[in-house]
Amino acid sequence: MATRHNWTKEEILEIYNKPLMELLYEAATVHREHHDPNTVQVSTLLSIKTGGCPEDCGYCPQAARYHTDLEGNDLMSVNQVKAQALRAKEAGSSRVCMGAAWRNVKDGQEFDNVLEMVRTINKLDMEVCCTLGMITENQAQRLAEAGLYAYNHNLDTSEEYYKEVISTRGYEDRLQTIDNVRKTNVTVCSGGIIGMGESTDDRAGMLVALSTLNPQPESVPINALVPVEGTPMEEQEPVSIWEMVRMVATTRIVMPETQVRLSAGRTQMSREGQAMCFFAGANSIFAGDKLLTTPNPDVNEDMEMFRELGLNPQKAFEKKEQRESVEAEDSKYQNLGEKPKWSRPGHKIERNLEAQQKVKPKA
């Protein structure tokens, strides 16, 4: 099956709503054409700067405006990150994804430190990914020079439903960030979250937005919302495993060459449920006991599941070759002190405002 970039919402909905056995068979067939069905990439997600984010994303406990029990921390040191990366490598991960709770990257010492973290992990022969919010083209080039393998910037949902989730940044900014990354040799990781109250139409709309990018993202995380107390979405009902399987299978069919990542929400899934997702085309997971701030299965449990299912962890740089890191002093791209005007739509989202005004009960 050749990769298409002109999928319509109607076509995607037709795939999503197929009888499950047909959908699974089609997705597994596409998966086997483009990937080894017994190989799954294992990545470790590391929160290098937690909490205090100025955004109002309705699903996120890291937003400073919501009353969650999240313990924030300042940017980790390069040595702390290296120690965690070595631990992840020993446990079987081939990629480290570093996340910082920033709206966008600001040129300066903290970004320079992140670039040094990228160089350090790349020299450990591990793929390194970052999710740092919006970035400019120059910042993307500096990350590429440092040896970044992938940049994650999720679309979250359809453009229409996005307005019900976030009011502090526009959908266009997300697409612009992906476009800035595409001007470099860094791969793109972009997906979304299901279970935020969106319709099936919105799920299809998100897949239209991702699949019509040319090239399509090399990695697409599919997250199931993990409702966190204190956030606007704390009362959301968890999605069923069938919705997750359908979403994974549909993503696999419309983006055949992409690595479909089974991300947040795995703690709510049985091994049988996860096995169905792998059969349907998921070939990447996050390992480690936490995904930034939400729980995740223990890495030993994952390795035991891999043994039961006969799955092998994917080796680093199997899909794209490793690039050598350029040292800071040899860098062609410098700190420009940029102050880009990222948008602030500023419309009101009632449930987000209500969550802000809630007073947290005293213990």
Side-chain angles (χ1 to χ4, degrees):
M1 179 179 180
T3 300
R4 279 178 53 190
H5 300 277
N6 60 348
W7 289 99
T8 65
K9 192 192 282 189
E10 293 66 35
E11 287 175 313
I12 291 175
L13 281 169
E14 196 179 319
I15 293 167
Y16 184 95
N17 290 316
K18 278 187 176 191
L20 188 65
M21 297 307 153
E22 278 186 45
L23 176 62
L24 282 172
Y25 179 75
E26 186 178 339
T29 304
V30 171
H31 187 52
R32 283 160 184 271
E33 277 175 26
H34 297 272
H35 306 270
D36 176 352
N38 298 316
T39 300
V40 174
Q41 183 195 47
V42 182
S43 303
T44 293
L45 189 54
L46 182 58
S47 184
I48 57 173
K49 186 267 172 188
T50 308
C53 183
E55 304 283 67
D56 76 335
C57 308
Y59 51 81
C60 187
Q62 301 210 60
R65 63 190 71 205
Y66 305 135
H67 309 286
T68 62
D69 281 328
L70 184 70
E71 205 172 302
N73 68 270
D74 294 333
L75 191 68
M76 291 169 75
S77 70
V78 176
N79 282 339
Q80 284 174 312
V81 167
K82 183 179 182 179
Q84 296 272 26
L86 284 167
R87 199 171 302 143
K89 186 176 185 178
E90 202 176 305
S93 284
S94 60
R95 180 186 286 195
V96 172
C97 302
M98 298 189 286
W102 292 333
R103 168 179 164 80
N104 58 281
V105 168
K106 292 179 179 139
D107 289 338
Q109 190 56 55
E110 286 201 324
F111 185 43
D112 290 346
N113 290 350
V114 171
L115 294 171
E116 198 50 47
M117 292 172 195
V118 171
R119 291 185 193 99
T120 301
I121 296 173
N122 190 41
K123 287 170 192 170
L124 297 176
D125 294 327
M126 296 183 82
E127 295 174 13
V128 54
C129 173
C130 281
T131 180
L132 312 167
M134 278 97 69
I135 55 172
T136 64
E137 186 183 339
N138 184 67
Q139 290 164 344
Q141 293 288 6
R142 294 179 75 198
L143 284 163
E145 268 194 333
L148 191 71
Y149 185 90
Y151 194 83
N152 166 262
H153 201 60
N154 289 339
L155 294 184
D156 285 347
T157 185
S158 68
E159 187 167 4
E160 294 74 23
Y161 195 68
Y162 187 84
K163 298 175 182 72
E164 304 297 318
V165 178
I166 302 160
S167 74
T168 51
R169 66 166 101 173
Y171 205 71
E172 202 47 53
D173 291 343
R174 298 210 171 223
L175 293 168
Q176 183 58 55
T177 290
I178 291 170
D179 195 45
N180 289 341
V181 173
R182 275 289 176 227
K183 290 168 185 165
T184 73
N185 56 12
V186 174
T187 64
V188 167
C189 174
S190 185
I193 307 169
I194 66 171
M196 299 191 291
E198 76 289 338
S199 65
T200 308
D201 265 37
D202 290 312
R203 292 175 190 175
M206 179 183 83
L207 292 181
V208 168
L210 290 167
S211 65
T212 52
L213 292 172
N214 194 358
Q216 292 176 344
E218 284 82 356
S219 173
V220 173
I222 302 295
N223 296 276
L225 177 74
V226 178
V228 176
E229 193 178 347
T231 63
M233 296 188 178
E234 64 180 4
E235 302 291 342
Q236 285 295 135
E237 283 294 312
V239 293
S240 74
I241 187 62
W242 308 117
E243 291 171 277
M244 202 65 182
V245 168
R246 283 185 180 279
M247 194 66 187
V248 165
T250 307
T251 305
R252 168 51 67 227
I253 292 165
V254 301
M255 289 181 266
E257 291 180 51
T258 291
Q259 293 219 253
V260 179
R261 194 186 299 280
L262 201 53
S263 298
R266 282 203 301 124
T267 45
Q268 276 87 41
M269 295 180 205
S270 67
R271 283 192 184 173
E272 294 86 346
Q274 291 179 69
M276 284 186 79
C277 288
F278 294 135
F279 183 73
N283 59 342
S284 179
I285 60 165
F286 279 120
D289 59 354
K290 257 192 177 179
L291 288 191
L292 295 181
T293 58
T294 54
N296 196 47
D298 176 79
V299 67
N300 294 325
E301 282 178 40
D302 282 334
M303 289 305 114
E304 195 181 307
M305 175 175 71
F306 273 37
R307 280 192 294 275
E308 280 181 351
L309 301 178
L311 297 175
N312 305 304
Q314 183 180 303
K315 290 182 173 65
F317 309 107
E318 207 166 275
K319 301 283 184 182
K320 195 168 181 177
E321 66 182 34
Q322 184 177 12
R323 291 177 295 275
E324 206 172 317
S325 295
V326 175
E327 297 305 327
E329 57 271 22
D330 302 322
S331 177
K332 193 170 82 175
Y333 297 90
Q334 299 303 318
N335 172 352
L336 299 179
E338 293 177 282
K339 292 188 177 163
K341 291 278 182 230
W342 297 106
S343 71
R344 290 184 183 273
H347 59 280
K348 290 182 171 49
I349 302 173
E350 287 306 320
R351 65 179 170 184
N352 290 14
L353 292 171
E354 282 169 23
Q356 271 176 252
Q357 287 152 9
K358 271 185 190 170
V359 179
K360 197 172 169 196
K362 289 189 172 71

